[in-house]
Amino acid sequence: MKPALKPKNPCFSSGPCAKRPGWSLDALKDAALGRSHRARIGKARLADVIERTKSLLQMPKDYLLGIVPASDTGAIEMALWSLLGERGVDVFAWESFGATWASDCQKQLKLKDLRIFKAGYGELPDLKQADWKRDMVFTWNGTTSGVKVPGGDWIPANREGLAICDATSAVFAMELPWDRLDVVTWSWQKVMGGEGAHGMIALSPRAVKRLESYSPSWPLPKIFQMTKGGKLIDGIFKGETINTPSMLCVEDALDGLKWGEKIGGLKALVTRSNANLKAIENWVKKAGWIGFLAETPEIRSNTSVCLKITDSWYTSLAPEEQEKGAKKIASLLEAEGVAYDIGSYRDAPAGLRIWAGATVETSDIEALLPWLDWAWSEVRNVAKAA
């Protein structure tokens, strides 16, 4: 039978992600619409996003934070194109976005001294292979694989190269060791549930020193340029954005940050994500038909929770039939208004992906889980009867 209780918010997409609890369009009523982002009011709003973010994330005071174009993709590409090439580069990839950064280093930047370490979905490469005389590029949390690095102990404090980290589905949900990271990028539409198109880039003093002492051999598009005449364009890190931002999105980002402050800051945000993962873990132990793509708990994401169907009947199917079955589960739940956008990423193994970040209520996760059992039973019984 169908469960009686439905999630109050059926949005479990891994990006754009669920809005914070209680959000409504009224949260945007004070947006500086029709005003220039370079006017005093526009600059003040943008600077407020930067300062509130630094405070909420407990970022070191000597780190710089800027708002940049094109979401996390724009932010990480800005870092790669602006900073790499001064020395050898290692890229660690264990899901589709990490693989994209590796491909860009190889095929677009054509780095001559490049090493790429890859692992399949659900696993991590051997992080001990990292040579910290070189620059390092990696995702903190693999959004499409549900795999995170277990911490920052593998990054030495006395490293010679830069640690360049795509942290888009980790920041605000996991505690990052800022002193071990030189470049950190993310986007508004992930853990805090903001709207798309805007990215953020944090720079350590070591990263700033590289920017001011090294010029890459390739030309840089305007939206990637962080220096002029060998000096950092410091306005980027005070709210003077490279291109025109959406002030409506800026207001939405501020709303999310104020909510995070109100509920108890970073500790509370991390606690909410961990509670959501714990609820799913407890259910998986009892379900009997499903498991985590990341089988090792220490590397399991608490935001982009990726699941694989383990039932022997299902795993005996041809790959294309497995994919159809997983998609059918997702479509059944969408039709019931129970869960939207929970299919696995297009490049990932067939399965389900549930966003469990801080804006998601644990009560909604708990209401969703019996529906997963119901949808699985429906798909299996119909297929077996055919």
Side-chain angles (χ1 to χ4, degrees), residues 94-95 119-124 144-147 292-296 299 349:
W94 53 90
E95 47 93 54
Y121 283 86
E123 301 175 345
L124 271 180
T144 66
S145 69
V147 172
F292 290 94
L293 194 56
E295 295 180 359
T296 305
I299 65 171

Side-chain angles (χ1 to χ4, degrees), residues 99-379:
T100 296
W101 314 145
S103 176
D104 286 352
C105 288
Q106 184 176 49
K107 297 179 181 179
Q108 303 302 321
L109 297 180
K110 302 183 187 301
L111 298 175
K112 292 181 172 58
D113 188 2
L114 174 67
R115 302 193 305 170
I116 297 173
F117 300 89
K118 286 189 176 183
Y121 283 86
E123 301 175 345
L124 271 180
D126 181 6
L127 301 178
K128 294 179 182 178
Q129 295 295 314
D131 177 357
W132 285 99
K133 293 180 180 179
R134 305 162 65 84
D135 291 333
M136 207 65 49
V137 178
F138 64 99
T139 55
W140 191 271
N141 180 81
T143 310
T144 66
S145 69
V147 172
K148 66 175 185 177
V149 292
D153 290 346
W154 64 291
I155 307 171
N158 62 344
R159 61 194 175 278
E160 295 180 27
L162 298 179
I164 301 174
C165 176
D166 169 2
T168 195
S169 57
V171 74
F172 294 110
M174 305 174 195
E175 293 185 1
L176 301 182
W178 289 99
D179 63 321
R180 304 299 174 98
L181 303 173
D182 297 296
V183 181
V184 183
T185 68
W186 65 92
S187 59
W188 289 358
Q189 71 263 35
K190 292 293 184 181
V191 179
M192 298 303 282
E195 292 304 301
H198 301 78
M200 301 204 80
I201 186 167
L203 302 176
S204 73
R206 299 178 74 247
V208 173
K209 183 178 180 181
R210 171 75 66 82
L211 282 168
E212 293 186 330
S213 63
Y214 165 70
S215 296
S217 59
W218 44 79
L220 288 178
K222 177 179 173 59
I223 62 170
F224 288 175
Q225 294 172 16
M226 290 185 278
T227 60
K228 185 175 182 179
K231 293 294 182 182
L232 191 73
I233 305 173
D234 60 0
I236 295 172
F237 307 95
K238 298 176 182 178
E240 298 173 12
T241 53
I242 296 172
N243 70 337
T244 306
S246 163
M247 298 309 296
L248 199 63
C249 292
V250 169
E251 199 69 21
D252 192 48
L254 282 170
D255 175 73
L257 292 166
K258 291 174 184 177
W259 169 76
E261 295 164 356
K262 183 179 179 180
I263 66 170
L266 181 61
K267 183 178 180 180
L269 294 169
V270 173
T271 297
R272 287 175 63 89
S273 293
N274 286 341
N276 290 338
L277 173 60
K278 185 63 176 177
I280 298 172
E281 287 179 330
N282 291 340
W283 167 75
V284 167
K285 290 177 183 177
K286 301 175 183 178
W289 60 274
I290 198 163
F292 290 94
L293 194 56
E295 295 180 359
T296 305
E298 291 75 20
I299 65 171
R300 189 175 294 157
S301 172
N302 66 349
T303 58
S304 51
V305 180
C306 296
L307 302 166
K308 59 182 178 181
I309 300 172
T310 57
D311 181 85
S312 59
W313 165 77
Y314 176 87
T315 57
S316 68
L317 299 174
E320 58 270 19
E321 293 302 315
Q322 292 185 30
E323 186 172 350
K324 287 180 182 178
K327 287 183 176 180
K328 183 61 177 176
I329 291 174
S331 63
L332 279 173
L333 295 172
E334 181 166 347
E336 293 288 340
V338 170
Y340 301 142
D341 312 315
I342 66 166
S344 59
Y345 189 73
R346 61 179 180 266
D347 295 333
L352 303 173
R353 181 173 58 155
I354 302 169
W355 183 257
T359 58
V360 176
E361 298 277 33
T362 302
S363 58
D364 283 337
I365 293 282
E366 291 171 340
L368 166 66
L369 299 174
W371 282 93
L372 295 177
D373 289 324
W374 169 81
W376 160 248
S377 180
E378 289 289 301
V379 169

Side-chain angles (χ1 to χ4, degrees), residues 71-88:
S71 190
D72 178 60
T73 300
I76 191 69
E77 292 284 5
M78 172 183 279
L80 301 184
W81 283 69
S82 299
L83 292 163
L84 297 185
E86 188 262 358
R87 63 181 63 214

